[in-house]
Amino acid sequence: VRTVALVGPFRDALRAHKARQDELKASGDWKPDKAFADLLFLRPNGGMITLNQDNIDWHKVLDRNGFDYWRGHLNRHITATRLARIEPPIATPIIESILGHKTDALKKYYVHRAEIEQFTSLAGYARQFPSAQTAADKSR
């Protein structure tokens, strides 16, 4: 079990989803297995989300919004990449708690942070050698 803080549009989207689900529950078409009735992510009839149906639904979302296909799981890696570009950097324990500890997405975060930090570090290092640039310009 992981806890992820929900803020702004993420919280609002889940509240809207929950409100639609509550309407479905009142409609009489909601027939979940009792063991799963309190789950937030179920099919519109209360059934479990299967991998195949999830893929079908994901394709519909992409088509409806004019996007080319990509695997839904890739969103986790996209999130890692975008989190890695936030300045100042987000503390590693926070990233671990958002993405899940020791995951491919977390490795992607570390790679992106390292690339950003290498550039910044080497740019600072290069500024220590202004005469090297001047000499290179004269040799041209």
Side-chain angles (χ1 to χ4, degrees), residues 3-7 10 98:
T3 300
V4 177
L6 296 174
V7 297
F10 312 115
I98 292 170

Side-chain angles (χ1 to χ4, degrees), residues 55-72 74-75 78 82:
N55 284 330
I56 291 167
D57 291 343
W58 177 241
H59 282 264
K60 289 177 184 176
V61 166
L62 293 174
D63 289 342
R64 186 171 53 241
N65 292 286
F67 291 113
D68 292 333
Y69 174 75
W70 75 78
R71 289 182 324 119
L74 183 59
N75 290 316
I78 292 168
R82 293 187 72 153

Side-chain angles (χ1 to χ4, degrees), residues 1-133:
V1 173
R2 290 188 303 123
T3 300
V4 177
L6 296 174
V7 297
F10 312 115
R11 179 193 57 233
D12 297 344
L14 283 176
R15 284 183 176 159
H17 174 76
K18 177 74 168 92
R20 286 189 303 275
Q21 191 177 64
D22 289 344
E23 290 173 12
L24 286 169
K25 288 178 182 180
S27 73
D29 293 331
W30 184 260
K31 297 178 179 143
D33 181 309
K34 289 185 185 202
F36 305 112
D38 291 333
L39 293 179
L40 181 60
F41 296 106
L42 294 170
R43 303 284 311 141
N45 66 357
M48 295 297 293
I49 297 172
T50 64
L51 180 58
N52 286 340
Q53 188 59 53
D54 186 54
N55 284 330
I56 291 167
D57 291 343
W58 177 241
H59 282 264
K60 289 177 184 176
V61 166
L62 293 174
D63 289 342
R64 186 171 53 241
N65 292 286
F67 291 113
D68 292 333
Y69 174 75
W70 75 78
R71 289 182 324 119
H73 183 74
L74 183 59
N75 290 316
R76 188 170 187 176
H77 300 280
I78 292 168
T79 299
T81 300
R82 293 187 72 153
L83 288 169
R85 293 183 178 171
I86 293 173
E87 292 294 341
I90 300 171
T92 300
I94 301 301
I95 294 298
E96 289 173 342
S97 69
I98 292 170
L99 297 175
H101 187 61
K102 296 183 181 178
T103 64
D104 288 340
L106 188 58
K107 289 175 195 165
K108 190 132 182 125
Y109 170 81
Y110 288 134
V111 167
H112 284 286
R113 275 310 318 164
E115 289 170 358
I116 291 166
E117 290 173 18
Q118 277 185 16
F119 182 81
T120 303
S121 298
L122 287 174
Y125 182 63
R127 285 191 294 274
Q128 295 179 23
F129 301 96
S131 60
Q133 183 61 46

